[in-house]
Structure formats: structure tokens, C-alpha cells
Amino acid sequence: MSRILMLFVAAMLVAGLPVESGFAQSGAPAFDVEQASRAYIDTLQGAELEKSNNYFEGGYWLILWGAIVGILVDFLILQSRLSARFRDWAERVTSRKWLQPALYALPYVIAGFLITLPWTIYTDFFREQQYDLMSQAFGGWFGEQMIGLVISLIMFSLLIMAIFAVIRRAPKTWWLWGTGVISIFLFIGMMLGPVFISPLFNDYQEMAEGPMRDRIVAMAAEYDIPADNIYVFDQSKQHKRISANVSGIGPTIRISLNDNLLERTDPEEVAAVMGHELGHYVLGHTWRTIFILALIIGFGLFVIARLAPRLIERHGARWGIRNMSDPAAIPLLSLILTAYFFAATPALNSLVRITESDADQFGLDSAREPDGFAEVSMRLSEYRKIEPGPIEEMLFFDHPSGATRVRMAMQWKADNVENPVIQNPGKLEQE
């Protein structure tokens, strides 16, 4: 008998199986990953399931209609020669070529904001209210839209000024240098956003001392992540979504949790979310995302560099556009880029989804809370379709679906927890 046992152990070692797991569950019921997953997935049923599916599937059409609205607005600004008038105004204000694109950007951004305002009000306010995802009154929401408009005026003006400086100096290869310019702006936004922009919309307070903060500090310390600044921000005034992030670079690094996460979830769920967010930092996802986005944007600028001159040569007189270095060409460049990004939506979604999946795996390994991870994945189903088809998930999901995440958590549990048992989560609270 002992010889048979030794042969069995040797065979397990050769096969790469953990010896302990071969005996630990003897006498214990087998852990079925799919059954354990369904215990969570099936907590969303009936009217709540239908509401979640309708909200998310409606977003598929918003991708299309949003692109169409953006293209039509730019086309209207071109056809009405508003663009040429904005350029003429900028030239009257200053004779400095380098400053004219920045001045042009001011009326262009304001005009785009006003023309699309009815669409924005419907998609970002009334539709959110319809699905009980909006906490703000219209006045508060519109006030934040105005703050966003001011930020757009500043950032877009600086970006356009830099891009057109490149176009004037390198008319043949401007798209390549322009990609570098946009990458720099992405980096600056990453540096300054958490410190100067986010507090314009929410109040950030240091997280109170206690067991939850201690656990976050310990998790961060395990991976040498600075945890001197841990903030809680009041996003419940805007909506009910749970959220957290690790943001910034160098001295601006901060860990932020919204109040919904702390008030609507259990400590195990908070740990699971923070493990995921720490994963983004440790795995260098910000830098990887900037690099891949730069490649995607660079190809888009290359497309513009090939199409825009031909369109200007053919229609420029009617639109009042002189050449590629004319700021009046901005709506044309925007129109082409909007169409390009619409076509690239599946690629952009896949980029984010793969990154999020990597962070999910890291979060499971660091927090070791598979059931907490499954529970918080189900809470996200308030506004994300829980169980799409594989092609649907690939095309439209910029995060793994709830079902995918729950199955990942239960598979991790099966692989890493001794004598795992199937939980009966019951009906999760959906305040």
C-alpha cells in the first residue's frame, strides 16, 4: 500500500499538482466553480436584471449616436462657415500666428458645448435619472458641466496651440510629432488631475484611522506603494456608483476611495476593490495605457494627415479653410478623428478590458477575498450588463463583465483556498 501511495504522490508531483490539495478535500464536498459562480450571478433577476440590461444595452446605441452627433456638429460649424469666422476673429485679436489657434479654440469649444447641450442633458442627466443612477439635482449637475467647460477651454486651447505649432514647423511629419505632444498632455493630466482637477468636483478628506485604513496601508506597504495620502471623496452627491483609484506620480501619488464604496460595501469588498486598484499601480498600467493610446492616436493623426489635405483642396474654398495650418481646419480634423475613434471603439475597449482583467487577478492575489470580489462585482451590475455573450463583451465592454469577474473569483477560490465552500450570498443590497 505504501508503495502505491508513493507512486501516486510522485505522479502528482510530475503532473505539477499540489500534493496537499489531493488529500485536503477528502470527505469534503467538491467545489464546483460554475455552481459557486451561479450562486452570485443568479442574485440579479427579474426587474433589476432587466433594468441593468436595458441601461447598458442602450449605451451601445449611445456610442453610435454620440459619434453621429459629434460629426454633425463639426460639419455644421464647417458648412455654416462659423469656423472661418472664428479664425477671422482670432486674427483680428492678434497677429501672432502661434496664439491664433488658442484663441480660435475658445469660440469653437463654446459653440460645440451649446449645440450639443440638449444631447448632453439627455444622456448625462435625464437618462441617468431615469435609471435611478443620478443623485444630483439639475442645478448641481449643470454647475459641474460649467466647471468642465472652463477646464476644456484651457486644456483644449493649449493643446491646439501646440499641435498647430507642430503643423507649421513640420508639415510633412506633423502627425508623428503631434502624437508626442498629445502624450505629453496625457502625462501632465495624470500629474495634475488628482491634485488640482478632481477637487473641483468633490471634497477630499483624509481617511479616518481605523481597521480599514490599516488594512489598506498594509496592502500598499507589501508592494512599496506610498500610502501617506489616503482620501475619501464625497461622490455620493453625484451618483451611487462605487469607485476608488491610485493616482498621480511622485509627490502627487494618492489613494482615493469614494464614500459609496465605504458606505455600501463590506470590508472584504473594500479590500477586494483596493487590491484591484493597487494592481493598476504595481503593474504599471498607466504607463502602458499611455503608450498604447499614443499608438492608436498616432495612427489616427496619420489618417488625418492623409485625408484632410485632400478634403481641404476639394472643399476648402466653400468652408473658408486656406490650408492645413489654418485653425479653421480644426472642425475637419475633429470630424475625421471622431469617425476614427468610433471605428476603433472595440480596440479601445479591449485595451482597457485586458488591463482591468490583469488588475482583477492582482487584486485577488493581494486581497485574497474571492467572495468579497464576487460581491462587489455583482454590485456593479446596477449599471453593467451582468452576463453578455462573448462577442458582445469583446465589442462593447471596457471592463470584464460581472459574470466573467465572478467566475474568475470562484476559480481563484478553487485554486487557492483550502476546503473551499460555496457561499449563498442571498440578495445583495442595492440602495
Side-chain angles (χ1 to χ4, degrees):
M1 177 64 73
S2 60
R3 180 178 178 83
I4 296 174
L5 180 60
M6 290 177 62
L7 288 172
F8 180 64
V9 171
M12 291 180 68
L13 292 173
V14 171
L17 298 175
V19 176
E20 307 81 50
S21 66
F23 300 97
Q25 295 187 42
S26 60
F31 182 81
D32 185 282
V33 171
E34 183 59 25
Q35 184 181 351
S37 301
R38 295 297 337 166
Y40 282 101
I41 296 169
D42 291 343
T43 59
L44 185 67
Q45 294 182 349
E48 289 181 350
L49 176 61
E50 183 179 5
K51 179 180 176 182
S52 172
N53 289 347
N54 289 342
Y55 174 78
F56 199 82
E57 290 169 0
Y60 304 164
W61 288 103
L62 292 185
I63 296 171
L64 172 62
W65 289 112
I68 291 174
V69 167
I71 290 171
L72 288 177
V73 168
D74 280 322
F75 187 71
L76 174 63
I77 292 174
L78 283 174
Q79 283 289 96
S80 65
R81 293 181 68 92
L82 270 176
S83 186
R85 293 189 184 96
F86 296 159
R87 185 264 329 277
D88 295 342
W89 171 79
E91 290 179 344
R92 288 195 299 271
V93 172
T94 181
S95 60
R96 296 179 175 86
K97 290 289 186 183
W98 62 270
L99 186 56
Q100 288 170 0
L103 289 175
Y104 169 96
L106 300 178
Y108 171 72
V109 170
I110 292 172
F113 174 83
L114 292 176
I115 295 171
T116 59
L117 186 58
W119 171 256
T120 304
I121 291 173
Y122 166 69
T123 58
D124 293 357
F125 182 76
F126 285 117
R127 185 170 186 269
E128 296 296 298
Q129 267 198 339
Q130 176 187 351
Y131 285 94
D132 195 28
L133 295 172
M134 171 67 65
S135 301
Q136 285 179 305
F138 183 80
W141 175 85
F142 189 74
E144 291 187 355
Q145 295 297 307
M146 297 306 295
I147 294 173
L149 174 62
V150 172
I151 295 171
S152 297
L153 287 169
I154 296 170
M155 298 305 297
F156 188 73
S157 296
L158 293 174
L159 176 61
I160 287 299
M161 184 170 64
I163 292 291
F164 273 79
V166 169
I167 292 175
R168 290 193 304 273
R169 285 167 173 74
K172 301 288 189 183
T173 58
W174 70 265
W175 62 272
L176 184 60
W177 299 105
T179 302
V181 168
I182 292 175
S183 299
I184 291 172
F185 269 77
L186 288 174
F187 173 80
I188 293 173
M190 183 176 58
M191 284 281 290
L192 302 182
V195 180
F196 297 107
I197 296 179
S198 296
L200 296 176
F201 298 92
N202 295 98
D203 181 32
Y204 283 71
Q205 299 290 336
E206 278 283 348
M207 186 177 185
E209 298 291 338
M212 194 69 253
R213 182 186 178 107
D214 292 342
R215 183 165 186 185
I216 294 172
V217 170
M219 291 172 66
E222 186 176 354
Y223 300 99
D224 297 322
I225 301 174
D228 299 325
N229 301 312
I230 304 179
Y231 294 100
V232 177
F233 58 104
D234 59 340
Q235 206 163 38
S236 61
K237 73 177 185 179
Q238 289 138 342
H239 54 71
K240 299 192 298 184
R241 292 174 169 89
I242 57 179
S243 177
N245 62 77
V246 180
S247 56
I249 301 174
T252 69
I253 292 175
R254 55 182 57 194
I255 298 171
S256 303
L257 306 81
N258 75 359
D259 52 353
N260 293 325
L261 177 60
L262 294 176
E263 293 170 6
R264 299 189 61 203
T265 66
D266 298 327
E268 295 79 12
E269 297 174 66
V270 176
V273 170
M274 291 314 305
H276 169 96
E277 298 302 332
L278 295 174
H280 282 309
Y281 181 89
V282 173
L283 299 174
H285 284 166
T286 299
W287 301 108
R288 187 172 79 181
T289 299
I290 287 178
F291 175 74
I292 298 177
L293 277 177
L295 294 178
I296 295 174
I297 291 170
F299 187 75
L301 296 183
F302 174 78
V303 171
I304 290 175
R306 293 297 177 269
L307 289 181
R310 299 176 185 178
L311 292 171
I312 291 172
E313 183 179 356
R314 186 170 181 178
H315 304 287
R318 183 166 72 252
W319 295 334
I321 303 176
R322 299 162 186 159
N323 49 51
M324 273 292 293
S325 62
D326 183 355
I330 288 175
L332 177 61
L333 311 188
S334 174
L335 184 155
I336 297 172
L337 201 58
T338 299
Y340 167 76
F341 275 122
F342 171 74
T345 296
L348 292 168
N349 284 346
S350 294
L351 162 65
V352 178
R353 191 176 61 255
I354 292 169
T355 297
E356 294 294 330
S357 184
D358 289 346
D360 286 347
Q361 186 62 58
F362 184 96
L364 286 165
D365 291 336
S366 60
R368 301 187 67 82
E369 294 286 359
D371 289 292
F373 187 90
E375 288 173 0
V376 81
S377 297
M378 292 305 302
R379 294 189 195 278
L380 297 177
S381 66
E382 290 179 348
Y383 51 91
R384 291 180 186 164
K385 186 175 182 178
I386 188 68
E387 201 166 12
I391 295 178
E392 183 182 11
E393 186 165 357
M394 179 190 71
L395 291 176
F396 298 111
F397 279 65
D398 60 1
H399 285 63
S401 68
T404 297
R405 284 176 148 171
V406 168
R407 289 188 175 98
M408 175 185 283
M410 293 302 98
Q411 185 62 58
W412 188 95
K413 185 176 181 179
D415 294 340
N416 295 275
V417 175
E418 186 175 357
N419 294 328
V421 296
I422 296 175
Q423 297 291 333
N424 181 14
K427 181 173 169 53
L428 292 174
E429 157 281 315
Q430 300 279 349
E431 292 179 355

